[in-house]
Amino acid sequence: MTTHDFRYSLLSPQHTLTECRALAPGRYQVTGNGGAIQAGDTLLVTLKGSRDLSMSLAVEKVRHLINPPGQWMAVASGPAFRELAILNWQVACDGCDQRIELEFAADASLGEKAYPAAAEARLQELGWASQRGQHLCPACKEQSA
């Protein structure tokens, strides 16, 4: 099916989200305009309170509204957060001392013990490597391979 990008960085008045709220952990109700959303499509949405984190939602069912024209409401599934926390940590490369301001999402209901695993997962998404407790930026990661 189709992927629809509704992240904040791509704002367009004809193609926007009005609301995205959690119905239960992993289930979301999304309301928006434009995009011709259908069941089976994927929605990319920015996480509330984040500069550049997004999540992918799989549309299960959609209802197109008559008024206003082009508006729709969908039920979608995605990451299951009981209590979403957006955190910022600073990480330094142990090879070249390059620093990154790391923004990542974690489930705050699991406590602080869940934060390191969420941070490591986000670092891997950004191309960094973690080996024996040391962090390597993408450039140093290539050199060590």
Side-chain angles (χ1 to χ4, degrees):
M1 291 302 207
T2 307
T3 299
H4 302 274
D5 197 337
F6 284 99
R7 293 176 291 184
Y8 291 149
S9 61
L10 301 171
L11 284 179
S12 165
Q14 301 83 22
H15 193 79
T16 58
L17 283 187
T18 308
E19 179 184 41
C20 181
R21 65 184 182 107
L23 299 172
R27 293 195 42 89
Y28 300 87
Q29 178 179 306
V30 184
T31 305
N33 291 308
I37 308 301
Q38 298 177 21
D41 287 355
T42 301
L43 305 175
L44 291 176
V45 299
T46 302
L47 290 175
K48 184 177 182 178
S50 169
R51 289 187 317 256
D52 49 33
L53 289 177
S54 62
M55 67 178 169
S56 180
L57 302 176
V59 176
E60 295 172 2
K61 56 185 173 181
V62 65
R63 188 177 77 184
H64 295 275
L65 306 176
I66 296 170
N67 201 5
Q71 190 170 36
W72 48 266
M73 184 182 302
V75 173
S77 60
F81 293 106
R82 283 196 170 88
E83 185 181 337
L84 177 64
I86 305 292
L87 302 163
N88 289 295
W89 286 0
Q90 192 173 76
V91 178
C93 175
D94 291 304
C96 66
D97 205 32
Q98 175 186 345
R99 297 192 181 279
I100 182 175
E101 188 69 32
L102 179 69
E103 182 181 51
F104 65 97
D107 191 339
S109 69
L110 299 176
E112 289 188 19
K113 67 181 181 296
Y115 296 173
E120 291 292 333
R122 179 67 177 147
L123 274 174
Q124 287 181 351
E125 288 175 17
L126 297 173
W128 283 57
S130 198
Q131 298 171 348
R132 295 181 296 279
Q134 294 194 345
H135 298 101
L136 297 175
C137 69
C140 292
K141 178 179 149 184
E142 279 186 30
Q143 290 176 358
S144 70

